[in-house]
Amino acid sequence: MPFVPARRSNLFIALLLLITLVSGVLAPPANAAEVVTALEIENDDEVHLYVDHDTAQLKALATLEGVATKKDVTATAVWATTSATIVKVDKGKLTPVGAGSAKVTAKYEGKTVAVNVKVDFLYDAVRLSADGTVAVELQDQPLSLTASAVESDGTLFDVTTAAVWSSSDQAVATVDDGKVQLLKKGTTTITAKYKGRSDSVTYTVASPYKALNLEYDGEYEFTVGQAPAQLDAIATLTNDLSERVNDKAVWSSSNSAVVSVDDGKLTFKGAGVAEIQASRYGLTAKVNVVVRLPYQALMLTPSKPVHMFLSDEPVQVEAHVANDFDTKLEVTGEAEWTTSNPLVVSVDDGRLKPRGAGAAEVVATYKGLQKKIDVTVMPVVNGLHLDETEMTLFKGEVAALPDVYGEDLNGTEYSFADIAEWTSSDEAVVVVENGKLKAKKPGVATVSMTIRGETDALEVTVREKALALLPQTSAYSLVRGETTSLPKVTALLEDGTELDISGAIEWTTSSPNLLVAGTTMKALLNSKVTLTGSYLNKKVTIPVTIEDKMTNVVVEPTAVTLNPKRSQTIKVTGKDSTGKTVTLTRSIVWTSSNPAAATVSGSTVRGVAEGAATLTATYQGQSLAVSVAVEPRLEKVVLSEKSAKLAVGGSTTFALTAYYDNGATKDVTHLATWTSSNVSVASVASGKATGLKKGSVSVKAKFDNKTATARVTVSQ
């Protein structure tokens, strides 16, 4: 770099600083806040507006410091009016409200600008063709009103269709383009508004009638299907003249399913009661009409469901009506016939013609009465058969009849049970009632099905119901590899008799580890298996435990003494062929000889009441037994004396009494253990205390963990 003298270098640096300073002054920072120097309204001449005729949009422009172009701030400025009843302002938009002058201002960033607004009405007034309060009567044709705008020179301008019309009570009258439709008695004010001006007229609406009545020459009781009857609506005018208003009144029926009404003409459709009402010019007349059935019953013959094959000839159904049991009137031709499915069956004056396989409902209707009949059309089939040919029932049991099937030409099966006829060869054994089989007594009977010459049979065996199955053995403990006979089982039948069913019962096992073959079972592998026997309606289950052979079985304890409600566990162990000790407690099934004294559940014996029982069990052919004595619970023992005084060489005898929870007592003097606190002063044995030398001792008697003490004093 070439050498620059110091003076020239300083001059160059100064020049750069000057350029930077000037650039900063001429170009403000990009993020500097704008500075508003002035605010104006574009075209700020006074604004002149007319109410409901026009509006105006003002524009607010802000002058920013250092910016040549003015900024439109109309939307962000704050606008205000000195009188909102004259003119409203929203973001610069002026809406005239009422005549007068007001000032509208805009504020933005501390600057304010204003403009004068003058508001006038376009017309001096709006005038209706009627004014004040007008009395009118209800009528069908609407009243006509015209609305005129009045200019300053008095000229009238028709604004009827341009005005906005309203009614203060639209229930009394409505208005549309000056057409006033009167609806009911009352008072309403009709108002027309146009260009801020309005005018009103009040109508007081009255009825031209004094009364409205319904008239009929006869009683208001009719029958379904009779010729229509004519009701007359008669209106009485205020001048006492009358007029018929059938075609002018508004008619209604409270139940058109019973009776319909058209200009007073009554048509009777169904039985019941309906209120007929006619209304006209604010008045209403009502009458109750009773419609009865002309007949009590409509009957169809045949009355039961009709079953037809597709190839059958048409079936004629007749319809009759009656009011008593003796007289019937055929109305087959007069009744109305309908079918729910014409693809299955068609009907013409009761004549049923099969059309396709399926089901349909045929309905006959005559003068308010209706009757239905179900029709089933079946396809052409090749042979019929029952879905089962043998059945076993218990006496008194009710069972469904078997289904009857037949195949059509396409090989599709259909059920024909609904049309089958059933007979029993022995109704003392089984009978067919209400489409069900009912077993009467033990025996065998054949129930036959017949449909148009086709037959099939069901053999029914009736047996006594078993109430319970009683096995000879309730549990087994078998040695692996051992074969033994299946248990004998007796069935307790409902008639109270017992039957040996050992040869008839069917046996199953819960595991292949126990094999049932013929009348024996063989234990294969060590496990716990459930042996289940089934006979008719009952089952019996027997637990079977398969184990290794035990060479020695020990029961602990072999004798138990319990208090009532107390229990104790019986432990059983054994040694297998290897000499290993095995716990068998849970494998033993104990039986109590006297459950009134002691019960046993699993390995736990529980005292019930005072007495004795023997628990017995069999394990792998070995008989096990535990004797149980149940005694009352000892509450305390009491000595006959609490103290005694003896001379040396003298003696006295204490008696010890045991008290039990059942209130019993027992002399246990000779059963107790007696001790002396100092045998050199006094000795005691079997309750007899003997003085040996001067002194004092405590004599204690202990029986069944209960103790009692007495003080013995020995003197010279």
Side-chain angles (χ1 to χ4, degrees):
M1 181 174 181
F3 172 74
V4 179
R7 182 178 179 184
R8 291 181 62 190
S9 176
N10 291 339
L11 182 60
F12 179 73
I13 293 172
L15 182 60
L16 288 177
L17 291 173
L18 179 62
I19 293 172
T20 302
L21 178 62
V22 171
S23 299
V25 171
L26 295 179
N31 296 328
E34 63 182 18
V35 178
V36 179
T37 60
L39 183 66
E40 63 183 77
I41 292 179
E42 186 180 58
N43 197 7
D44 58 354
D45 294 339
E46 181 180 77
V47 180
H48 193 185
L49 300 173
Y50 292 95
V51 178
D52 286 346
H53 182 66
D54 52 9
T55 60
Q57 178 65 54
L58 300 180
K59 181 184 287 187
L61 301 174
T63 301
L64 305 180
E65 185 178 46
V67 180
T69 304
K70 294 178 181 180
K71 180 180 180 181
D72 186 348
V73 295
T74 305
T76 55
V78 178
W79 295 86
T81 175
T82 57
S83 178
T85 60
I86 294 175
V87 63
K88 294 180 179 179
V89 61
D90 181 25
K91 295 182 180 180
K93 183 178 181 180
L94 304 179
T95 302
V97 179
S101 297
K103 182 178 287 186
V104 173
T105 59
K107 289 184 179 182
Y108 182 75
E109 294 294 336
K111 302 296 183 180
T112 304
V113 66
V115 65
N116 291 325
V117 179
K118 182 179 180 182
V119 179
D120 287 319
F121 287 106
L122 194 61
Y123 298 97
D124 286 356
V126 168
R127 188 175 300 159
L128 295 180
S129 55
D131 58 6
T133 300
V134 180
V136 294
E137 289 185 340
L138 289 167
Q139 54 185 312
D140 295 330
Q141 296 301 317
L143 304 176
S144 293
L145 285 177
T146 58
S148 300
V150 183
E151 297 184 347
S152 57
D153 60 359
T155 303
L156 299 180
F157 178 68
D158 190 344
V159 294
T160 303
T161 57
V164 177
W165 295 84
S166 63
S167 170
S168 65
D169 190 344
Q170 295 195 41
V172 175
T174 59
V175 61
D176 182 26
D177 287 349
K179 301 298 183 183
V180 181
Q181 184 64 59
L182 305 178
L183 301 176
K184 72 171 188 176
K185 295 187 294 182
T187 300
T188 187
T189 299
I190 304 299
T191 302
K193 292 183 178 180
Y194 183 71
K195 301 297 183 183
R197 299 294 193 182
S198 64
D199 195 13
S200 300
V201 60
T202 299
Y203 286 112
T204 301
V205 184
S207 175
Y209 299 149
K210 292 170 58 178
L212 180 65
N213 296 293
L214 296 180
E215 295 183 358
Y216 174 70
D217 187 15
E219 296 182 355
Y220 290 104
E221 292 203 10
F222 308 92
T223 57
V224 177
Q226 77 169 69
Q230 180 66 51
L231 281 182
D232 289 328
I234 306 299
T236 303
L237 303 173
T238 54
N239 59 6
D240 291 332
L241 296 178
S242 298
E243 65 176 2
R244 183 180 287 104
V245 293
N246 291 355
D247 58 342
K248 298 175 182 178
V250 177
W251 296 84
S252 66
S253 169
S254 64
N255 191 343
S256 57
V258 173
V259 57
S260 63
V261 59
D262 181 23
D263 288 349
K265 182 181 178 181
L266 304 180
T267 301
F268 310 106
K269 297 181 176 181
V273 178
E275 182 183 76
I276 303 300
Q277 178 175 295
S279 299
R280 174 72 171 163
Y281 287 161
L283 297 178
T284 299
K286 304 175 183 178
V287 65
N288 284 328
V289 173
V290 178
V291 181
R292 305 184 188 280
L293 294 173
Y295 300 98
Q296 292 189 35
L298 173 63
M299 297 158 287
L300 299 182
T301 305
S303 59
K304 294 182 179 180
V306 175
H307 295 84
M308 310 171 68
F309 282 95
L310 195 55
S311 58
D312 285 353
E313 292 296 319
V315 173
Q316 180 65 52
V317 178
E318 294 183 350
H320 294 80
V321 291
N323 281 322
D324 53 50
F325 290 102
D326 299 325
T327 305
K328 293 182 181 180
L329 174 65
E330 183 178 351
V331 293
T332 306
E334 292 80 5
E336 178 184 351
W337 296 85
T338 59
T339 174
S340 64
N341 193 344
L343 297 179
V344 172
V345 62
S346 62
V347 59
D348 182 20
D349 286 344
R351 189 170 180 264
L352 308 180
K353 186 173 183 180
R355 297 293 186 179
E361 185 180 73
V362 172
V363 180
T365 304
Y366 181 75
K367 291 191 175 182
L369 294 172
Q370 194 175 81
K371 200 71 173 180
K372 304 175 183 179
I373 188 169
D374 293 324
V375 179
T376 302
V377 178
M378 295 161 293
V380 176
V381 295
N382 180 24
L384 298 171
H385 63 274
L386 300 177
D387 66 344
E388 54 184 316
T389 57
E390 294 181 351
M391 185 181 294
T392 298
L393 300 177
F394 300 108
K395 186 179 71 173
E397 184 179 359
V398 176
L401 287 162
D403 210 342
V404 183
Y405 287 100
E407 289 187 357
D408 67 4
L409 299 175
N410 295 317
T412 303
E413 276 195 338
Y414 287 87
S415 172
F416 296 91
D418 291 341
I419 62 171
E421 294 181 0
W422 302 86
T423 57
S424 171
S425 64
D426 189 346
E427 292 192 344
V429 174
V430 64
V431 65
V432 179
E433 291 181 351
N434 300 320
K436 302 283 186 180
L437 288 170
K438 184 174 182 180
K440 306 286 281 186
K441 73 172 187 177
V444 178
T446 299
V447 175
S448 299
M449 174 279 303
T450 303
I451 299 178
R452 300 192 178 184
E454 294 277 350
T455 62
D456 202 358
L458 170 72
E459 185 178 276
V460 180
T461 301
V462 179
R463 296 178 176 175
E464 288 282 359
K465 185 183 294 185
L467 298 179
L469 302 183
L470 309 175
Q472 186 181 42
T473 304
S474 59
Y476 279 92
S477 179
L478 302 181
V479 176
R480 179 166 53 90
E482 178 184 359
T483 299
T484 187
S485 298
L486 287 165
K488 291 185 177 181
V489 181
T490 300
L492 178 60
L493 302 181
E494 195 172 41
D495 62 358
T497 61
E498 292 186 0
L499 178 66
D500 184 354
I501 58 167
S502 302
I505 194 168
E506 295 181 1
W507 295 100
T508 59
T509 65
S510 63
S511 168
N513 294 340
L514 181 64
L515 177 64
V516 174
T519 60
T520 64
M521 55 181 170
K522 183 175 182 179
L524 301 180
L525 294 175
N526 290 2
S527 59
K528 292 185 181 295
V529 183
T530 300
L531 178 65
T532 302
S534 300
Y535 176 75
L536 300 179
N537 61 311
K538 288 295 179 180
K539 291 184 178 182
V540 62
T541 58
I542 301 173
V544 179
T545 302
I546 303 174
E547 297 173 313
D548 290 328
K549 179 70 175 179
M550 294 295 155
T551 59
N552 184 34
V553 178
V554 178
V555 178
E556 293 179 324
T558 57
V560 176
T561 300
L562 296 173
N563 299 134
K565 300 183 180 179
R566 296 294 182 179
S567 60
Q568 184 169 335
T569 300
I570 308 299
K571 296 181 180 179
V572 182
T573 58
K575 289 187 178 181
D576 61 17
S577 58
T578 66
K580 179 182 177 181
T581 300
V582 180
T583 299
L584 305 175
T585 302
R586 294 187 178 181
S587 301
I588 307 302
V589 179
W590 295 98
T591 302
S592 174
S593 64
N594 185 6
T599 60
V600 63
S601 175
S603 60
T604 301
V605 59
R606 180 179 178 84
V608 177
E610 186 175 2
T614 300
L615 305 183
T616 57
T618 300
Y619 182 75
Q620 293 188 359
Q622 301 181 52
S623 297
L624 311 177
V626 176
S627 61
V628 181
V630 181
E631 298 177 351
R633 182 170 58 86
L634 177 64
E635 291 190 333
K636 62 182 179 179
V637 290
V638 177
L639 288 171
S640 56
E641 301 291 342
K642 292 184 178 181
S643 64
K645 292 181 179 182
L646 299 175
V648 175
S651 65
T652 186
T653 300
F654 293 97
L656 183 66
T657 303
Y659 290 84
Y660 295 91
D661 60 351
N662 62 355
T665 61
K666 181 179 180 182
D667 185 351
V668 294
T669 305
H670 295 285
L671 300 176
T673 300
W674 296 83
T675 58
S676 169
S677 63
N678 190 340
V679 295
S680 64
V681 174
S683 64
V684 62
S686 298
K688 182 179 181 181
T690 303
L692 300 177
K693 73 175 183 177
K694 183 179 179 181
S696 179
V697 297
S698 175
V699 172
K700 181 186 291 185
K702 184 177 182 181
F703 175 74
D704 199 10
N705 292 324
K706 300 290 184 179
T707 61
T709 60
R711 175 61 59 178
V712 176
T713 302
V714 181
S715 60
Q716 291 289 357

